[in-house]
């Protein structure tokens, strides 16, 4: 549920300059001014410090799938409002705004694509859509992606980026964790490979379900990964968190990651693992 | 709240005390005031009905956390015999926030696992307030797999304010431990009956919450986040927790309506804490009844139905 708390308050003004139309941008990691065309060529990774800029789901499709080509499924699934939820905004308005802002129908895109000519059932989450949170639509689309993988006997690849379960759909969001995990148990019984890719950030309900259940788990460097949000932990224990806590490197150190892969190597490593697991 | 009863319980408790005092007085002094007492008892009945038949979600949350509410160990002691507690995850530690082991339910061996909060301050600290670490989820899974190996049904009691958010919990993979339980519990080939007896907070509850039947006590709650967590995130104000409890629709009737639980287990008037034994008997009977039904299924049918149950959960619109 961490997605609502903005972690990097000091960076908001820089963020405005981020991707849209400017020719130059400033690296969030080291402050270096970078030529946008150059940055794009480098997979949105800063050459001087290795900082991985946050990507949209479409960008991952371009980076990982052959010719950036995804045959999208279930685009027509959209949120209901089971709780008639309202905080500062009505939930349906929040969804509508996110749709307008991102051009997406919810926080995950799913479909069939190819990674170095190997057909895969593919899913990629988008943090721009209500913090990449998982409600019924995300759960259902991921569930169907798992089922497509089982039916066609093709590997499953999911790129996660999420603050967790979507509060505005209450308990039904929580149940998506059980739903997707149960289907992954079935997929695993069929001995079909599942590669989970973790990007910044992947936490809470998504981390505690399908993101953690890959046969192989790969993360981008320096992503925030964990169960509870850092602020909640800090409040609970009343002391400062150690440097690098809940990063990809921390996850690897403690045995919960197979590989940390820089963005430029991501496709090659996924592709190799698919070859080994087939 | 004064640690013994909740604010909205006060008029009921006070009237009960008054009736008791009058009865004692009548007995001591040997005076005849039975008519007055009867009248007061009538008033009490009416008052109880007024207070308890229209509880708000927030009041139910408070009842679920009542200082005197029965916890998992109470249910284990009152529902089963010959309980042998089994400890540890065989990897790191024994998590005291969850107890589990073999016991006999109406003579029949089962594995029973429950989150335990503890009653007094010392116990609460010992039990970490019922907040599990990864080793707790792993201990629970170890016992469930043992249960399946020897073909015994599994009874789960849920009562937690959440999985523990701490440094050690993250270092030892809280997310992985919960995810693995969700995956494995979906294919454990013996009947699993989930009972939410108090608080069912988020992934910490769901981490031992996948099964064939999901029961919920009348005054328990089950939600994606605690009302306090929701209030502090969405309204940035914990005092808005009652509104959050309302908005989250975390009570049993709503969860039954949207198909997340199978049945509401009634509580004695005033809540489970008013009559431990009766509550344990009611719950035990429901569990026995469900076990009987589930035993009629083959292992394949059991697992098929379990996956189907969770597969169906969710509400969305499919535009054409």
């Amino acid at each position: 549920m961490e997605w609502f708390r903005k972690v990097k308050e000091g960076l908001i003004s820089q963020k405005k300059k981020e991707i849209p139309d400017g020719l130059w941008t400033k690296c969030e990691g080291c402050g270096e001014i970078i030529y946008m065309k150059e940055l794009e060529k480098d997979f949105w990774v800063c050459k001087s410090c290795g900082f991985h800029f946050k990507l949209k789901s479409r960008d991952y499709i371009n980076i990982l799938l052959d010719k950036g080509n995804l045959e999208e499924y279930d685009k027509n699934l959209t949120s209901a409002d089971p709780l008639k939820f309202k905080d500062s905004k009505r939930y349906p308005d929040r969804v509508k705004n996110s749709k307008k802002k991102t051009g997406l129908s919810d926080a995950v895109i799913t479909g069939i694509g190819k990674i170095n000519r190997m057909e895969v059932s593919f899913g990629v989450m988008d943090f721009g859509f209500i913090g990449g949170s998982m409600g019924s639509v995300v759960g259902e689309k991921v569930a169907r992606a798992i089922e497509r993988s089982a039916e066609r006997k093709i590997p499953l690849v999911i790129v996660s980026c999420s603050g967790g379960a979507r509060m505005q759909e209450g308990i039904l969001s929580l149940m998506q964790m059980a739903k997707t995990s149960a289907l992954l148990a079935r997929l695993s019984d069929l001995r079909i490979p599942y590669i989970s890719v973790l990007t910044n950030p992947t936490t809470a309900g998504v981390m505690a379900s399908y993101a953690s259940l890959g046969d192989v788990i790969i993360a981008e460097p320096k992503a925030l990964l964990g169960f509870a949000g850092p602020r909640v932990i800090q409040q609970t224990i009343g002391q400062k968190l150690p440097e690098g806590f809940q990063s990809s490197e921390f996850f690897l150190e403690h045995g919960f990651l197979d590989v940390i892969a820089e963005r430029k190597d991501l496709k090659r490593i996924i592709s190799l693992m698919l070859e080994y697991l087939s | 709240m004064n640690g013994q009863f909740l604010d909205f319980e006060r008029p009921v408790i006070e009237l009960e005390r008054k009736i008791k005092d009058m009865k004692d007085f009548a007995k001591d002094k040997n005076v005849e005031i039975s008519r007055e007492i009867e009248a007061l008892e009538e008033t009490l009945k009416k008052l109880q009905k007024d207070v308890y038949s229209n509880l708000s979600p927030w009041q139910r949350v408070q009842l679920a956390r009542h200082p005197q509410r029965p916890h998992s160990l109470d249910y284990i002691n009152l529902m089963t015999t010959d309980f042998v507690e089994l400890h540890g995850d065989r990897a790191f530690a024994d998590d005291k926030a969850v107890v589990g082991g073999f016991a006999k339910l109406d003579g029949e061996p089962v594995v029973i696992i429950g989150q335990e909060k503890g009653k007094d301050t010392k116990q609460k600290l010992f039990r970490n307030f019922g907040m599990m670490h990864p080793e707790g989820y792993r201990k629970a899974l170890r016992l469930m797999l043992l249960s399946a190996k020897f073909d015994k049904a599994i009874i789960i009691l849920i009562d937690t304010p959440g999985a523990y958010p701490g440094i050690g919990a993250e270092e030892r993979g809280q997310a992985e431990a919960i995810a693995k339980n969700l995956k494995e519990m979906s294919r454990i080939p013996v009947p699993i009956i989930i009972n939410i007896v108090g608080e069912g907070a988020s992934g910490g509850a769901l981490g031992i919450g996948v099964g064939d039947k999901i029961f919920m006590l009348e005054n328990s709650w089950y939600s994606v986040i605690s009302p306090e967590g929701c209030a502090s995130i969405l309204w940035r104000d914990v005092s808005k927790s009652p509104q959050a409890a309302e908005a989250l629709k975390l009570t049993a009737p709503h969860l039954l309506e949207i198909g997340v639980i199978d049945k509401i287990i009634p509580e004695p008037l005033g809540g489970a804490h008013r009559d431990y034994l009766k509550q344990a008997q009611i719950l035990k009977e429901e569990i026995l009844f469900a076990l009987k039904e589930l035993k009629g299924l083959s292992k394949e049918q059991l697992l098929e139905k379990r996956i189907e149950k969770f597969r169906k959960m969710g509400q969305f619109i499919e535009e054409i």
Side-chain angles (χ1 to χ4, degrees), chain A residues 76 78 83 144 147 189, chain B residues 187 249 311 317-319:
Chain A
N76 57 335
T78 184
L83 305 189
R144 291 185 188 186
E147 287 168 337
D189 287 340
Chain B
R187 59 177 174 189
K249 302 223 165 84
R311 178 68 188 86
I317 298 160
E318 195 150 16
E319 288 165 345

Side-chain angles (χ1 to χ4, degrees), chain B residues 13-29:
Chain B
I13 307 278
E14 279 173 358
L15 191 53
E16 279 175 346
R17 281 188 187 156
K18 195 169 166 194
I19 292 172
K20 191 177 172 286
D21 287 348
M22 281 176 75
K23 281 181 174 165
D24 291 347
F25 178 80
K27 212 172 147 195
D28 279 0
K29 307 281 181 211

Side-chain angles (χ1 to χ4, degrees), chain B residues 54-70:
Chain B
N54 283 310
L55 293 173
S56 70
W58 180 241
Q59 286 173 324
R60 287 195 198 273
V61 169
Q62 290 175 295
L63 276 177
R65 296 170 177 167
H66 198 288
Q68 289 169 350
R69 191 166 176 89

Side-chain angles (χ1 to χ4, degrees), chain B residues 137 140-141 144 177-186 207-208:
Chain B
Y137 294 99
L141 181 60
M144 289 188 269
I178 291 172
K180 187 169 186 187
N181 278 21
L182 301 182
K183 181 179 173 186
E184 295 305 329
M185 287 182 84
S186 77
I208 54 166

